[in-house]
Amino acid sequence: MILKINKKLVEVDLKGHETLLEVLRDQLGMTGTKTSCTESECGACTVIINQKAVLSCITLANSLEGDEITTIEGVSEGENLHPVQQSFLDHGAVQCGFCIPGMIMSSKALLDQNHRPTQEDIEYALDGNLCRCTGYLKIFDAIRAAGQKMEEQENKLNSVHLTQTNLINH
Amino acid sequence: MLLNPINFYSPQTVSEALSLYSSLGECRLLAGGTFLLNSLKLLKKKGMKTVPNIISLRKIAELKGITTDPETLTIKSMTSITDLYNSPHLTDNFAILKKVCRNISTNLIRNMATVGGNLTSRYTWTELGAPLIALDTKMHFVGSNTKEEVTVEEFFNKGAKTNNLLTHLSIKRDKKCQLSYQRVKKLSEVDVPLLGACIRSTLTDERFQQTKVVINSGTVFAKRDIILEEFLNKSEIEESIASEALNHLDLSIYDTRSDDYKKSMFRVCIKNAILELVQRRKKL
């Protein structure tokens, strides 16, 4: 079976009962997605499927043919960290770090849709990601700052695109 | 492996799913998976046998989406809780569903769990049960050669069992009625609806009319409190009724195994739901 993971087509050997979490970690060696509770309580295994943050521990890999799967390994562009990742570092939002891949994925899914989330939006989006170090406040700060950064980057891109379009029209 | 070996099927249409369902023998339908897969994992952990065949409904496009017309809201069974929450169609009496969806589990679960799975997994903690009963929601099923239409109330009263496939829900628009939903969380983060109360009433006159009171205790399927409904339908819409109503509960439907806290919180939920309706009447 072919899965589309981080914009690449990957062939996997499935018997039918493998969760996406198991396929990522055990077959593909993508251990950034964490195994923790394995019963949908903690959010450590969060990935993005078709732009929505979901739990890979309760997703059957077999059901994902044709879907766009993004894992923590696909968030940065080469060595350039995604604004969410950079912001987590800048704000000291990482303590033990175990929950962070899941936190990043839920944050990215939120900020991809909304660069200026309210505190309520952030809490709504992250209510399934548990941090046992209880470092939530810095995580919230990091998300807000990342949203601003993403908005700046988007505005910059739009203005470059606008300039290029004007040049072409003239 | 977290799960025992299974044969996995992913039909693209309802008729293909029905054909598999009737031919495979022992099998389960997989909607969002948030309940079924965890149950199967738990059974494996306990060393118990699990169902050999799974039919995923995930790729069946005709089971997804929400539509509306002047009279009816139609929710297809594989619509996720998030998609229902974000739907622009939740106006008039349907608006209560937005509040209910907001409180279902966590965002990660809401993104995966479906309306159909929530109702048919025989999970008594289903948060949608009480408001959907209050809204007189109909469930539409199809089988190999049959079509079936039952209300959510009838479905739950019969133990939420079916051998057919739920295709969609339909709810009649009612611009006159008002709904209130009050619930208590078990925890502030990961939670199940320990208990909740949904009250629907028409408030255009001095008295409550056509009132429905539906209780969700978590340990049994959502049920109506007919005694309280009768009391409210004889009562004027005023704040003092909220306290008085607590002397008119059908105690047989409340969870008798609950501790004092839980019993008390039921009363708080019901009182607050009535008060919310009284306040809303003042604004009409």
Side-chain angles (χ1 to χ4, degrees), chain A residues 48-116:
Chain A
I48 297 175
I49 298 177
N50 302 338
Q51 288 144 18
K52 283 183 180 161
V54 299
L55 295 156
S56 61
C57 75
I58 49 165
T59 301
L60 284 178
N62 233 330
S63 68
L64 299 175
E65 195 162 20
D67 294 320
E68 296 266 355
I69 304 162
T70 307
T71 70
I72 188 68
E73 288 88 351
V75 173
S76 64
E77 287 189 17
E79 291 185 358
N80 296 323
L81 293 181
H82 186 278
V84 179
Q85 294 172 303
Q86 188 60 54
S87 189
F88 268 59
L89 289 177
D90 295 344
H91 287 79
V94 181
Q95 292 186 56
C96 86
F98 195 81
C99 69
I100 295 302
M103 290 283 182
I104 299 267
M105 299 314 286
S106 285
S107 307
K108 183 181 182 302
L110 165 70
L111 294 174
D112 283 345
Q113 306 291 324
N114 176 9
H115 294 337
R116 292 188 186 191

Side-chain angles (χ1 to χ4, degrees), chain B residues 4-227:
Chain B
N4 284 327
I6 49 172
N7 301 311
F8 180 85
Y9 301 88
S10 183
Q12 307 285 314
T13 63
V14 168
S15 59
E16 206 183 319
L18 289 172
S19 158
L20 282 165
Y21 192 59
S22 59
S23 63
L24 283 174
E26 199 185 346
C27 64
R28 288 293 298 270
L29 296 174
L30 177 68
T34 56
F35 178 69
L36 178 60
L37 294 182
N38 277 333
S39 307
L40 295 178
K41 282 185 212 168
L42 192 65
L43 289 171
K44 189 194 173 196
K45 260 187 203 171
K46 290 179 177 173
M48 294 167 78
K49 190 178 158 237
T50 52
V51 69
N53 301 304
I54 294 281
I55 303 170
S56 169
L57 305 177
R58 196 165 180 272
K59 297 293 183 189
I60 304 181
E62 62 193 296
L63 291 179
K64 292 178 185 172
I66 302 165
T67 55
T68 189
D69 62 35
E71 289 183 358
T72 312
L73 177 75
T74 302
I75 307 167
K76 303 277 185 72
S77 60
M78 284 294 288
T79 302
S80 73
I81 303 299
T82 294
D83 288 344
L84 180 59
Y85 174 75
N86 289 327
S87 173
H89 299 308
L90 300 186
T91 56
D92 301 322
N93 52 323
F94 312 138
I96 194 71
L97 293 174
K98 194 172 181 74
K99 182 176 181 182
V100 176
C101 288
R102 172 68 182 85
N103 285 308
I104 292 178
S105 191
T106 67
N107 185 42
L108 298 166
I109 296 288
R110 291 188 290 270
N111 284 342
M112 302 177 76
T114 64
V115 172
N118 194 285
L119 291 173
T120 58
S121 58
R122 306 197 69 226
Y123 188 53
T124 53
W125 281 322
T126 173
E127 185 107 26
L128 285 169
L132 288 177
I133 289 174
L135 286 164
D136 290 329
T137 306
K138 283 186 179 161
M139 302 172 78
H140 302 260
F141 294 90
V142 289
S144 294
N145 298 306
T146 55
K147 278 191 175 181
E148 189 188 2
E149 187 183 297
V150 293
T151 63
V152 174
E153 185 178 4
E154 289 164 344
F155 181 67
F156 280 172
N157 285 346
K158 289 177 184 168
K161 287 179 189 166
T162 181
N163 287 320
N164 294 328
L165 190 154
L166 176 67
T167 56
H168 64 282
L169 309 176
S170 62
I171 312 172
K172 290 285 175 205
R173 190 182 297 278
D174 182 349
K175 291 188 176 188
K176 288 182 184 168
C177 79
Q178 298 284 331
L179 286 111
S180 170
Y181 180 69
Q182 298 285 329
R183 56 99 83 184
V184 174
K185 286 184 177 184
K186 185 179 178 186
L187 297 168
S188 60
E189 286 291 336
V190 181
D191 70 276
V192 290
L194 195 63
L195 53 92
C198 187
I199 304 185
R200 169 197 179 149
S201 195
T202 302
L203 308 174
T204 47
D205 206 348
E206 296 303 309
R207 289 173 189 276
F208 290 95
Q209 293 173 72
Q210 298 169 308
T211 305
K212 276 196 172 182
V213 179
V214 193
I215 301 304
N216 185 7
S217 74
T219 48
V220 291
F221 289 115
K223 274 193 161 74
R224 284 171 63 192
D225 186 335
I226 307 284
I227 293 176

